[in-house]
């Protein structure tokens, strides 16, 4: 049974930092491409960052230089380090795994950036 469980979402002030985690199970994590997406109220879900099975990364323009995606294959976990947070980063953040033709999603974790 495939599971992706996100954690780490919280309320944080502008300029603050958070680290999100996504713990995976039920598939070969080390061979998968892992991504973080986010969805703000009234907006479509959009890609934030991706890390391939060999560690190549890609970021959406709004988060470049502020967010860092990483993975620990020994722990079957992908992370999203978010620095210099802005109110517009407020959203539900989702983890996605892609392995061959299959895609799996987590349930999401809420990040709120507000003073």
């Amino acid at each position: 049974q495939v599971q992706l469980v996100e954690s780490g979402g919280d309320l944080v002030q502008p300029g603050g930092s958070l680290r999100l985690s996504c713990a995976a199970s039920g598939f070969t994590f080390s061979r998968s491409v892992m991504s973080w997406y986010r969805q703000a109220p009234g907006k479509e879900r959009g890609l934030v960052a991706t890390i391939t099975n060999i560690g190549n990364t890609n970021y959406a323009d709004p988060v470049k230089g502020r967010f860092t995606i990483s993975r620990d294959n020994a722990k079957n976990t992908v992370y999203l380090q978010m620095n210099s947070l802005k109110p517009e980063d407020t959203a539900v953040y989702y983890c996605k795994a892609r392995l061959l033709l299959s895609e799996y999603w987590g349930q999401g974790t809420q990040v709120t950036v507000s003073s």
Side-chain angles (χ1 to χ4, degrees):
Q1 179 183 357
V2 173
Q3 277 195 315
L4 294 171
V5 180
E6 299 99 331
S7 62
D10 205 345
L11 169 64
V12 63
Q13 291 188 345
S17 298
L18 280 177
R19 188 176 83 154
L20 305 182
S21 300
C22 173
S25 61
F27 64 98
T28 309
F29 178 82
S30 61
R31 297 174 63 182
S32 65
V33 176
M34 301 299 298
S35 300
W36 286 97
Y37 285 72
R38 67 185 181 185
Q39 186 168 19
K43 295 188 176 181
E44 293 186 355
R45 191 175 299 187
L47 178 65
V48 175
T50 296
I51 185 166
T52 70
N53 59 323
I54 59 172
N56 294 329
T57 59
N58 187 49
Y59 298 91
D61 285 344
V63 308
K64 283 181 179 177
R66 300 188 298 123
F67 291 11
T68 302
I69 189 170
S70 62
R71 65 191 298 160
D72 185 337
N73 289 340
K75 296 182 178 180
N76 285 1
T77 301
V78 62
Y79 304 97
L80 186 68
Q81 177 67 44
M82 304 186 295
N83 299 328
S84 302
L85 282 161
K86 305 174 181 180
E88 52 263 44
D89 295 318
T90 295
V92 178
Y93 284 70
Y94 298 90
C95 171
K96 189 188 85 171
R98 179 166 58 86
L99 180 60
L100 300 178
L101 298 180
S102 298
E103 289 188 350
Y104 312 105
W105 289 88
Q107 83 290 347
T109 185
Q110 176 70 48
V111 172
T112 303
V113 184
S114 175
S115 55

